[in-house]
């Protein structure tokens, strides 16, 4: 069989431009972009087509559903200038001193009087004919980020273990995840993947087309996104060594069974361990993907220097792979170690050689990571896809692994897919076409420049890993169900916890960032939710002050209501961040076009991560070039800088201390990312029905202590809520009517009333005794002296109060 030649992934820049042209043409032909049109397009498909679960044999399944409504999705709206400026001031007020805020008000007044309206008109002109005014600016805020992507841009997901313990070994788990991932690839390529929806409203599915066969490729002038849409192979990394084999045919059908994949992976592991790990580390070129982007670009030039060289071919094979599978030899045990392994790998030096899993990665692509004990996760390149998109991929893959195992027990068990590949075991091998199913090991030519660069890249990466720490909280006591039963939005409830815990540790309020998804719009990405408001500041100060439980909960409710309203605004693309950032880019473009004299610096730290979406706000230090893309520039004309951007408030709002993101479901154990500033925390969280999972990272800023503070807050706020419920300040929708009646029934002396009182969590308490017509107050005094910790103390105190409070005239504690 002839050896297949791999081509360099094609740039997606032209794809982006063509999509704009197509959009414009469709509107000229009478197509209407609106939420109503998109919803109508979505509803034209049958329920089976929209939800193929249990319809895998359905002959009426309609291909094309995935992107069917794209041309009907509404354009991303440009907010009114006055509205964005007002929201900008509201976001800054609780973060500033009175003098600072007075100065910012003056800057906004000058901006609205002078430069603001002109920039708004320029933005509208630029956006004419485009369905998304921020898209190019947003991509370039990532692509011009020169610092390493590891720990700065790439997030991770940690999957739950396979529910079948026998399948939680490395080879079985990895093979199962690969086959499920390939089924997802097939569904996307055949356009059979049902669209994401929110309350029946279809969301933009464009990001799914950029998930596979895609690579972030550095150049001298920023990065590009390359893609091979015909890719049909995967690359496997084991002990830093590279292997590849084909997994799809030209029709995107699977050509290997799970057993076949498992056999290949076992062969790869056995081959990889033949080379001592210290020796293999000398050729672990994946470390180079963690370098600064310009350095990495120069090294890629070295690898491509000789046309047709082995290194050039190997690089193209890696770039064009569907995704990377990383097989680690380690078995992380703690939650923090697992999260670190999925985000940046471990650093372990033996006899002066790096043998940690940090050398077993390729950060420019989507990676599935499987540890020796079967623990698995996903690390993804963030430029073209957001957490919501990769979450759908992760959850569908996890679900499919369970359903496929179920079908080995019961052949009638449902499938997640509208159609399935023909059984590879029953196909004629000739029907597979030109494929290579036997693993091939990539042999790099380690020229002196690469060997030296690899050593320096590894030591720099080890430094970077050592500069960061991780702590996790898997809070099992309650989750979404409890929060909603108490009348709170779960996300707002948890957001208030982050601020309250931070204020309890440091006594101050800092800038908090949370992304809201805007995929209801064409090519929508995210908008920033500014979680710190005057209401949240009032809450954290009330919570930590000497105030009643009622006052604390009342201010919490007000803060949560405000946060929910801000989130809804952001989801409708009516926040201020993306709009003002677009105006900033337009201003830079105007300076570039006018040839204005550039100043040496505007005081902005260009080394700060751009951190869009789950990681923060976009990088300011970029200029829009003549072809419409943003290019980096260290020079800005301070004398011509609009007042809004010159004001200190702009930097304050774009320096995130608590960078937070809510992304997950029961298929995930943890989700997280690195901190976005030297003084900040990166906080990924998942709110499940009965639990909360949090992964926090920082540059050694008492991360574990912050996690402990969060746990104590969650317990304390539950105690306060239950106290108020029992006092009748609000109705508990989940309480039984019998128990409710018992609370108000006069206490008699019937024998039936005797016995031990049954408390929450299966705990019991002996009934109080009487003496001379009074209950013994000793138990009450003991409860009053006890520390306010845990459920038991609060319930004991409440029982005692209810029985003797009136006689002792102790209405409240």
């Amino acid at each position: 069989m002839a050896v297949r030649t791999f081509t360099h992934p094609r740039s997606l820049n032209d794809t982006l431009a063509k999509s704009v042209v197509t959009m414009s043409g469709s509107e000229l032909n009478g197509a209407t972009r609106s939420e109503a049109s998109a919803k109508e397009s979505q509803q034209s498909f049958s329920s089976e087509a929209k939800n193929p679960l249990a319809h895998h044999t359905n002959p009426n399944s309609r291909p094309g559903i995935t992107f069917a409504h794209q041309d009907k999705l509404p354009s991303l709206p440009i907010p009114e200038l006055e509205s964005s400026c007002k929201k900008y001031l509201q976001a800054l007020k609780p973060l500033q001193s009175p003098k600072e805020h007075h100065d910012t008000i003056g800057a906004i007044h000058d901006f609205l009087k002078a430069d603001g309206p002109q920039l708004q008109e320029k933005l509208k002109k630029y956006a004419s004919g485009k369905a998304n005014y921020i898209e190019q600016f947003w991509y370039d805020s990532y692509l011009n980020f020169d610092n390493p992507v590891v720990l700065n841009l790439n997030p991770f997901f940690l999957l739950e273990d396979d529910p079948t313990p026998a399948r939680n070994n490395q080879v079985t788990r990895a093979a199962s995840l690969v086959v499920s991932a390939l089924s997802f690839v097939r569904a996307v390529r055949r356009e059979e993947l049902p669209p994401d929806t929110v309350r029946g409203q279809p969301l933009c599915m464009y990001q799914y087309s950029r998930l596979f066969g895609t690579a972030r490729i550095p150049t001298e002038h920023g990065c590009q996104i390359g893609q091979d849409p015909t890719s049909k192979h995967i690359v496997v990394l084991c002990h830093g060594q590279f292997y590849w084999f084909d997994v799809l045919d030209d029709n995107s059908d699977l050509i290997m069974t799970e057993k076949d994949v498992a056999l290949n992976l076992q062969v790869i592991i056995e081959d990889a361990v033949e080379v001592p790990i210290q020796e293999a580390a000398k050729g672990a070129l994946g470390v180079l993907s963690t370098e600064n982007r310009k350095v990495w670009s120069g090294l890629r030039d070295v690898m491509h220097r000789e046309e047709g060289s082995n290194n050039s071919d190997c690089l193209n094979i890696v770039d064009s792979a569907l995704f990377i599978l990383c097989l680690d030899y380690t078995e992380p045990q703690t939650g923090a170690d697992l999260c670190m392994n999925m985000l940046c790998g471990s650093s372990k030096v033996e006899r002066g050689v790096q043998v940690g899993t940090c050398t077993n990665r390729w950060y420019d692509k989507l990676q599935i990571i499987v540890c020796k004990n079967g623990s698995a996760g996903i690390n993804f390149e963030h430029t073209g896809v957001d957490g919501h998109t990769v979450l759908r991929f992760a959850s569908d893959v996890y679900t499919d692994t369970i359903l496929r195992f179920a079908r080995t027990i019961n052949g009638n068990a449902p499938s997640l897919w509208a159609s399935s590949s023909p059984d590879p075991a029953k196909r004629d091998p000739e029907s597979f076409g030109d494929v290579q199913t036997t693993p091939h090991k990539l042999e790099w030519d380690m020229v002196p420049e690469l060997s030296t660069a690899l050593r320096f890249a590894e030591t720099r990466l080890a430094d970077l890993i050592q500069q960061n720490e991780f702590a996790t909280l898997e809070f099992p006591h309650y989750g979404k169900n409890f929060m909603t039963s108490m009348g709170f939005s779960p996300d707002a409830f948890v957001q208030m916890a982050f601020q309250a815990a931070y204020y309890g540790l440091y006594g101050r309020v800092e800038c908090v960032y949370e992304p809201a998804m805007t995929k209801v719009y064409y090519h929508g990405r995210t908008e920033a939710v500014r979680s710190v408001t005057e209401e949240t500041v009032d809450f954290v100060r009330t919570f930590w002050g000497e105030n009643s439980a009622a006052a604390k909960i009342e201010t919490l409710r007000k803060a949560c209501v405000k946060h929910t309203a801000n989130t809804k605004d952001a989801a409708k693309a009516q926040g201020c961040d993306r709009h003002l950032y677009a105006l900033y880019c337009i201003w830079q473009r105007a300076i570039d076009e006018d040839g204005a004299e550039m100043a040496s610096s505007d005081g902005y730290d260009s080394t700060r991560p751009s951190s869009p979406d789950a990681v923060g706000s976009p990088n300011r230090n970029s200029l829009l070039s003549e072809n419409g893309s943003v290019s980096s520039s260290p020079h800005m004309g301070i004398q011509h800088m609009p007042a809004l951007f010159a004001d200190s408030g702009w930097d304050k709002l774009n320096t995130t201390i608590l960078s937070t993101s809510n992304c997950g479901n029961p298929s995930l154990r943890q989700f997280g990312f690195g901190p976005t500033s030297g003084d900040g925390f990166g906080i990924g969280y998942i709110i499940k029905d009965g639990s909360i999972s949090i992964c926090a990272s920082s540059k050694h800023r008492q991360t574990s202590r912050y996690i402990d503070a969060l746990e104590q807050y969650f317990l304390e706020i539950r105690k306060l809520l239950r106290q108020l419920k029992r006092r009748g300040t609000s109705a508990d929708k989940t309480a039984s009517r019998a128990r409710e009646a018992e609370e108000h029934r006069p206490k008699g002396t019937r024998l039936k009333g005797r016995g031990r009182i049954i408390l929450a969590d299966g705990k019991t308490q002996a009934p109080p005794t009487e003496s001379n017509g009074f209950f013994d107050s000793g138990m009450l005094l003991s409860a009053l002296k006890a520390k306010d910790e845990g459920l038991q103390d609060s319930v004991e105190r409440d029982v005692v109060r209810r029985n003797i409070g009136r006689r002792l005239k102790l209405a409240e504690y």
Side-chain angles (χ1 to χ4, degrees), residues 6 8 242 282-283 285 288 296 298-319 362 441-451 454:
F6 291 90
H8 193 284
F242 293 75
K282 298 177 182 178
L285 286 179
L288 298 182
W296 182 205
L299 294 172
R300 286 178 64 101
D301 289 342
V302 171
M303 300 170 82
H304 283 300
R305 188 164 51 196
E306 297 179 15
E307 188 173 350
S309 72
N310 205 44
N311 284 342
S312 183
D313 290 342
C314 290
L315 196 56
N316 288 338
I317 290 172
V318 175
D319 287 340
W362 191 274
K441 184 175 183 178
L442 298 182
E443 300 288 352
W444 304 91
D445 180 12
M446 293 303 295
V447 296
E449 296 101 316
L450 293 181
S451 297
L454 191 154

Side-chain angles (χ1 to χ4, degrees), residues 462-535:
D463 276 348
L464 187 60
I465 293 173
Q466 296 298 329
Q467 291 165 13
N468 291 268
E469 65 175 359
F470 306 88
T472 60
L473 173 64
E474 296 188 11
F475 185 77
H477 303 289
Y478 62 87
K480 181 176 68 175
N481 291 342
F482 173 77
M483 300 172 200
T484 54
S485 74
M486 293 292 175
F488 291 98
S489 156
D491 183 70
F493 187 93
V494 175
Q495 281 287 325
M496 296 311 110
F498 297 145
Q499 295 187 44
Y502 190 91
Y503 191 88
L505 280 180
Y506 298 105
R508 61 180 183 269
V509 176
E510 299 279 16
C511 182
V512 183
Y513 173 94
E514 180 189 8
M517 179 184 64
T518 57
K519 285 170 68 176
V520 71
Y521 300 102
Y522 181 77
H523 288 196
R525 297 293 297 264
T526 61
E527 176 59 86
V529 180
R530 291 302 172 181
S531 301
V532 178
T533 63
E534 292 183 271
E535 289 81 358

Side-chain angles (χ1 to χ4, degrees), residues 724-796:
L724 292 180
K725 286 289 185 183
R726 284 189 293 270
R727 291 173 191 167
T729 55
S730 57
D732 184 351
K733 299 176 183 177
T734 63
S736 100
R737 297 301 299 274
R739 181 164 294 183
E740 184 180 327
E742 182 183 352
E743 294 288 333
H744 300 90
R745 185 184 298 126
K747 304 297 180 184
T749 59
R750 294 180 303 147
L751 290 178
K752 288 183 179 180
R754 301 188 67 81
R756 291 177 298 172
I757 298 171
I758 306 300
L759 306 179
D761 300 328
K763 296 180 176 64
T764 64
Q765 178 183 307
T769 58
E770 290 184 320
S771 175
N772 297 325
F774 288 91
F775 289 114
D776 183 3
S777 63
M779 185 163 59
L780 173 64
L781 296 177
S782 296
L784 294 179
K785 292 177 182 177
K787 293 177 69 176
D788 292 348
E789 295 179 354
L791 171 66
Q792 185 176 0
D793 287 343
S794 67
V795 174
E796 286 178 352

Side-chain angles (χ1 to χ4, degrees), residues 21-38:
V21 174
T22 303
M23 180 278 303
S24 302
S26 65
E27 288 193 331
L28 291 174
N29 291 331
T32 304
R33 288 189 175 277
S34 68
E35 292 186 26
S37 296

Side-chain angles (χ1 to χ4, degrees), residues 541-552:
R541 289 175 177 168
T542 302
F543 179 81
W544 289 106
E546 295 295 328
N547 300 293
S548 67
K552 293 178 181 181

Side-chain angles (χ1 to χ4, degrees), residues 1-18:
M1 182 180 293
V3 176
R4 191 167 79 250
T5 302
F6 291 90
T7 57
H8 193 284
R10 286 172 273 178
S11 171
L12 284 178
N13 294 346
D14 293 339
T15 306
L16 184 60
K18 290 177 182 176

